[in-house]
Amino acid sequence: MFRDRQEAGQKLGIELEKLRLHQPVVLALPRGGVPVAAEVAKALRAPLDLIIVRKVGAPGNPELAVAAIVDGNPPDVVLNRDIVEAYSLDDDQLRTLIARERPEMERRRLAYRGKHPPLSIAGKTAIIVDDGVATGTTMKVAIRALKRRSPREVVVAVPVAPPDTLAELACEADWIVCLSQPAHFHALSQHYLGFPQLSDGDVVSAMDKAARSQSARQRGKQKQIIATKKQRRETVAEK
């Protein structure tokens, strides 16, 4: 049981630190994954970004995903081929279904990210963070989309998930870090003492705060580099 998403993120950060991952970039699944990922990014001293996924529902059954759009430049479309075949959807029908969801994807992108482009993960370790997974459908889509962007490896980091879902995700990701794996998994909220619904404003606020912290860390690192160079010059001059 976690006190809240922040505590879950702090505990995840401790575990991820032990892996000594190469050039980590933390990617939050909004909305619930953002406060968790912010704490992970702080622990790893890593940049924080979002990975925004929009489901594309089947005709007459919007809860059943035939595909998903993942924000990027350009956006990635990941198909659920079993569902596409079950509905006998051709390319034109798929394009129509996907086009219907693009405005909402664009709205979310502008609301959460503004004009800031996604961070590059090429050659880096992409860490996808959420506040937990149940079926793992969204997480699978995120993993598959990120693999197209040439990361060094993809890590899934979540506070809680059922063992069978983790087994499926292990076939997709390079690493899985999960703090709690209850055999009888019900609602995600049951694993948190405090589990409030988050708004778009909460996401933007958390991302802005993380950006300020990242900038402060970079300024501190730059000052340290300058001080080290100055000390070396003084040492050489003394000799």
Side-chain angles (χ1 to χ4, degrees), residues 44 58 66 75 77 115 136 172 178 196 201 210:
L44 299 181
V66 298
V77 176
K115 296 181 179 180
E172 306 275 350
C178 182

Side-chain angles (χ1 to χ4, degrees), residues 115-184:
K115 296 181 179 180
H116 301 291
L119 296 177
S120 172
I121 59 168
K124 301 175 183 178
T125 301
I127 307 173
I128 312 174
V129 179
D130 206 351
D131 53 8
V133 294
T135 65
T137 302
T138 300
M139 186 66 76
K140 285 180 190 176
V141 169
I143 295 167
R144 292 172 186 176
L146 289 180
K147 283 188 172 181
R148 299 176 181 176
R149 303 177 189 179
S150 305
R152 176 169 176 160
E153 54 189 355
V154 176
V155 179
V156 169
V158 292
V160 57
D164 56 343
T165 297
L166 292 175
E168 292 180 15
L169 293 176
C171 297
E172 306 275 350
D174 297 293
W175 295 86
I176 301 284
V177 177
C178 182
L179 303 176
S180 176
Q181 304 175 35
H184 302 289

Side-chain angles (χ1 to χ4, degrees), residues 66-134:
V66 298
I69 311 171
V70 182
D71 183 40
N73 188 21
D76 285 295
V77 176
V78 180
L79 297 179
N80 187 340
R81 297 195 179 277
D82 290 340
I83 304 302
V84 171
E85 291 175 5
Y87 277 78
S88 301
L89 298 172
D90 60 28
D91 290 346
D92 287 340
Q93 289 172 312
L94 277 172
R95 277 193 290 268
T96 299
L97 291 171
I98 291 166
R100 288 176 184 170
E101 300 301 332
R102 286 192 182 277
E104 176 59 18
M105 167 60 75
E106 181 68 8
R107 185 201 70 79
R108 293 186 184 190
R109 185 187 68 77
L110 290 173
Y112 297 158
R113 191 191 291 285
K115 296 181 179 180
H116 301 291
L119 296 177
S120 172
I121 59 168
K124 301 175 183 178
T125 301
I127 307 173
I128 312 174
V129 179
D130 206 351
D131 53 8
V133 294

Side-chain angles (χ1 to χ4, degrees), residues 19 23 33 45 54 70 82 96 130 135 145 159 173 212 221 238:
L19 298 179
Q23 288 188 277
R45 296 182 173 273
R54 176 66 179 174
V70 182
D82 290 340
T96 299
D130 206 351
T135 65
R212 290 194 298 271
K221 188 181 295 185
E238 289 176 359

Side-chain angles (χ1 to χ4, degrees), residues 33-46:
V34 173
V36 183
E39 296 297 333
V40 170
K42 187 188 302 183
L44 299 181
R45 296 182 173 273

